[in-house]
Amino acid sequence: MRRRPLSALAALSASALVLAACTSAPSTRDGSDPDRAAAEAAAAPVVTVVNPPVEETTDDGTAEAEQPQAGSDTGESSASEAGTEQAGTESSADAEDAGEDSDGDASSTDPDVVHIAAGEKLELAVDGGEFTEVELIDVDHETVPVDTGTFDVAGIDDTDGAGEDTPAAESTSGTEDSSDTGAGSADGTADAEAGGSVDAGAQASGASTADASEASGADDSAPVGPQGTEWISSVDLVTSAAYQWTATTVAPDGSEHTATGVVTTPETTAVEELTAKTVITDGEEVGVGAPIIVMFNSTIPEGVRDDIEARLSVEVTDEDGETQEVEGSWAWLYDTDGISRVHYRPKEFWPANVEVSVNLPLKDVEYSDRWYGKEDVALDFQVGRDQRVTADAQTHRMKIERDGKEIADWPTSLGSPQAPSYNGTHVVMEKHAHYVMTSEQWDYETPTDWAVRIHNNGEFVHAAPWSVGSQGSANVSHGCINLSTERAKEYYDMALYGDPVEITGSSVDLTTNHSDISDWVYTWDEWQELSALN
């Protein structure tokens, strides 16, 4: 290499000093002082990713480690600074590119992306200020609810300690919008498309609940105060994913700042695909009591159910396409024959004449060392008219109401004292124009017509011409609701999957055992306890 003579360098330095002394200080076109702007920029708090980086596999199968920033003392420190200080200034396009290459290639070419392990929570820390709000979104799936995480004033290492964590959902209510912040709307949603600017977000529709500010009793007009210097996500990161975090911070001088960055996770190493199927079919019209049932073709370990549930979303819109707030919750019911299932039901019955959109972004999500999600699942269905049946074992009458008006009042016969019908809320599960009723206990095999199943315990609404003489006056069935053939056909034609059927006046009650659908047997508090996010 040819070196410049020292004397020449000295002369160049001297001339630079002379020019500096003779040249007026630069100014911007708007007349602002660049030195002052630089000082303000230097005062901005610095947000870093605490999670250590992991090696990522390149196309040729070799491992490539994250490159630490020069001058860092430790690998963890360098990864945090290299991955987040630069990511805090990245453009929207950078975030979008990271989402497209979420298989791990992005972080090997983009210094603004940090590649960290899946199966653990994202942890952020801020130096030179405090957090006021943090949002974490899945770049590739805008339907995944926004994770507002938890602030830990006492430190991330103490997050398991009682009374130390501040739920971010409570603190974010009432956040004032700022031109440079990524704050979403009051219900925790963001307005822009995923992977965009600092306002980019995903719709937090997982539970379709009321605003966090109402739940916490916070004043919507009150600004959010400092929440501490450390933040942790609510759930673990999943495999094969790209996440964008947006952090709003406040400096000691009271100024507010926004930083954003992207983290990616490795691909799954599980070897077998696991499918998720819904009972309701795409485009189906259902009754107001229809639960959303998702069945997996294997057992889902309890340790990952919260991470899976956190990705599921339900959105309700009316006939005009306007979003409707419908409170609801997912619940993991007991496994049957090695099959796990998660159900969603609203607190009350669905409103009539709405559309429900369900998204299950589970492709490549690792459930265990063996299983990973085969595909994403999307489902759109319609809730039809509000039709409800009440069958009273005391009055021997079956009444049908549609949209609040009684449309039928028929004589019926329910279960005898030896084989009583079960009190409680049933729902229409399936229909058969012809069905053979069998019972080992009562030793019969009886063909029936217009059979509408309302429970797995053998309860149906069906035609029973042999009991017409008792219908309206006595209970003589083996637990079913008997109707005349004409009335059974009329009900069969109008019944939809999910229509509620309430039985009253009997001597026994439904339990939560031995049924595919026992969702409405649980109280709302009991149902919420079955959520893995509770």
Side-chain angles (χ1 to χ4, degrees), residues 65-78:
E66 288 280 332
Q67 295 300 316
Q69 184 175 353
S72 299
D73 295 331
T74 66
E76 180 173 335
S77 169
S78 64

Side-chain angles (χ1 to χ4, degrees), residues 3 15 33 46 64 90 96 127 154 162 184 211 234 290 318 338 364 367 372 428 484-485 501 524 534:
R3 298 181 181 275
S15 62
D33 186 348
V46 177
E64 181 176 300
E90 72 174 356
E96 214 164 273
D127 185 35
D211 293 349
S234 299
D318 63 17
D364 295 330
Y367 304 135
Y372 68 93
V428 172
S484 68
T485 300
V501 178
W524 180 239
N534 190 297

Side-chain angles (χ1 to χ4, degrees), residues 3-18:
R3 298 181 181 275
R4 184 188 299 267
L6 291 177
S7 57
L9 284 175
L12 183 60
S13 300
S15 62
L17 290 172
V18 172

Side-chain angles (χ1 to χ4, degrees), residues 411-427:
T412 186
S413 179
L414 281 76
S416 68
Q418 294 77 26
S421 304
Y422 286 83
N423 293 322
T425 303
H426 308 61
V427 298

Side-chain angles (χ1 to χ4, degrees), residues 384-424:
R385 75 289 178 272
D386 184 348
Q387 178 169 295
R388 310 183 190 193
V389 168
T390 302
D392 191 330
Q394 297 296 316
T395 64
H396 316 293
R397 308 293 296 185
M398 172 176 151
K399 297 182 179 182
I400 306 175
E401 287 190 358
R402 183 178 298 163
D403 298 324
K405 296 181 180 179
E406 185 176 295
I407 63 170
D409 183 355
W410 295 332
T412 186
S413 179
L414 281 76
S416 68
Q418 294 77 26
S421 304
Y422 286 83
N423 293 322

Side-chain angles (χ1 to χ4, degrees), residues 42 169 197 262 321 404 454 504:
S197 66
V262 172
I454 59 174
T504 62

